[in-house]
Amino acid sequence: MGSDRRRSRRPLVVGVALAAVVVLLAVGVAAAMWHAPAVTAGPSAPSTAAPSPSASGAASGDHVVTVQAAGRSRTMIVHLPLGTPKEPLPLVLVFHGAGDTAEGTAASTDFERVADQRGLIVAFLQGYQNTWNEGAGHTPAEVAGVDDVAFARAAVQTIEGMRSIDHERIAAVGFSNGALLADLLGCRMAEMVRLIVPVSGPLPVSVSQSCRPSRPVSVLEVHGTADDSIPYGGGPFAGIGGGTTVLSAPDAVARWAALDGCDSHASQKSASGGIRISAYTGCPAGISVQLRTVEGGGHAWPADIGELVAGALGE
């Protein structure tokens, strides 16, 4: 340190000037970080910062989007497919199970991979306190008077501003509590939703009695025979905040077939992996009503749920 004090003044001045430049650069960087905070990308934290927008709208990848619905701010993760698939694009609305999240569902299913491969838009909607008001139970969302039908409508309208949507290929897919909401959307939003895919959640008895879809809607129900949370055979079950009563999986799909004007009897066939498919015939043009029974299957998303939905949408 003593030798530094014997240096000439010129190096000292230069050193001070360089220090000032460093300080100014640091201040500039700090200001830039304040206006553009860093975002961690990845399956567990979808990125809100996307590349430059494409010619057709928002850029590919994950977008965390806030929408206003029935006086509430709601959020969803919108995944826009990679590349430049031909528009308009099919849209899949995904509703997580009670206690799960939009983020967790995006990370634990194959929806995003299939979306990139097939050219689909997938939106993972976030429930109120991780639950949905499906019109039948007593979840926190129901107790709070949350309108999740309005949320689904607002989600579609918001996504329309991001990419062009094929309105004849909009699907509502849900698991458990989210499956019951998918059923409700089939009853209340048939003019907008063309396919519902309830997984481990048959049509609630109370919703079935009041269901009056404005037009036929395709149904692909998936349920395991060993489901110990919502019984494949129907009846009451203990849900979050209080249970509800559902039809059996076969009766729920038969009810949808009747609402759609299909024949009253289903054909049966077996597929690989212990899958039994019950399909109704005589449905209106473009309408399909099926039950995929998973022999010995429990309360879980199918590993290939994204593939199943894409196939049902004709992708």
Side-chain angles (χ1 to χ4, degrees):
M1 183 178 292
S3 62
D4 290 340
R5 291 174 182 170
R6 291 193 295 270
R7 291 175 181 170
S8 68
R9 291 192 175 188
R10 175 171 293 182
L12 179 61
V13 172
V14 172
V16 172
L18 288 174
V21 170
V22 170
V23 170
L24 289 173
L25 287 174
V27 171
V29 170
M33 290 179 67
W34 176 259
H35 291 290
V39 178
T40 302
S44 61
S47 174
T48 57
S52 57
S54 66
S56 57
S60 301
D62 287 346
H63 302 257
V64 177
V65 180
T66 300
V67 301
Q68 299 299 316
R72 295 177 184 270
S73 293
R74 307 296 299 273
T75 60
M76 60 183 174
I77 301 169
V78 180
H79 181 81
L80 300 178
L82 299 178
T84 54
K86 183 179 179 181
E87 297 187 13
L89 303 176
L91 169 62
V92 180
L93 305 176
V94 181
F95 302 90
H96 58 74
D100 201 355
T101 62
E103 188 177 341
T105 301
S108 62
T109 59
D110 66 337
F111 281 113
E112 292 197 350
R113 176 182 61 79
V114 172
D116 290 338
Q117 292 175 347
R118 307 284 190 93
L120 308 173
I121 302 172
V122 182
F124 303 90
L125 284 71
Q126 176 59 48
Y128 175 84
Q129 294 186 11
N130 299 339
T131 65
W132 304 105
N133 180 4
E134 16 65 340
H138 301 286
T139 63
E142 187 274 338
V143 172
V146 173
D147 189 342
D148 282 316
V149 176
F151 181 23
R153 291 184 187 278
V156 174
Q157 293 166 357
T158 299
I159 295 167
E160 282 183 308
M162 302 173 72
R163 288 287 180 88
S164 176
I165 296 173
D166 184 345
H167 287 273
E168 289 303 308
R169 291 191 293 171
I170 298 178
V173 185
F175 172 68
S176 191
N177 178 216
L180 305 189
L181 178 58
D183 277 313
L184 183 64
L185 297 180
C187 297
R188 301 272 187 87
M189 281 180 58
E191 82 288 350
M192 184 175 287
V193 172
R194 296 297 284 150
L195 167 69
I196 63 168
V197 185
V199 177
S200 296
L203 189 64
V205 171
S206 59
V207 174
S208 172
Q209 293 170 348
S210 61
C211 186
R212 301 289 185 274
S214 59
R215 64 176 178 174
V217 58
S218 289
V219 179
L220 173 60
E221 183 149 339
V222 183
H223 208 142
T225 58
D227 190 329
D228 58 2
S229 295
I230 300 182
Y232 178 89
F237 69 94
I240 292 180
T244 187
T245 301
V246 295
L247 298 172
S248 70
D251 286 347
V253 178
R255 173 61 171 155
W256 277 113
L259 288 169
D260 282 344
C262 305
D263 292 342
S264 58
H265 298 288
S267 62
Q268 306 287 334
K269 69 176 183 178
S270 297
S272 60
I275 304 296
R276 179 162 38 89
I277 299 174
S278 305
Y280 283 84
T281 58
C283 300
I287 296 299
S288 172
V289 177
Q290 291 189 8
L291 168 63
R292 288 178 64 90
T293 298
V294 184
E295 297 292 350
H299 195 69
W301 283 108
D304 60 347
I305 183 60
E307 295 284 357
L308 292 174
V309 173
L313 284 171
E315 286 299 308

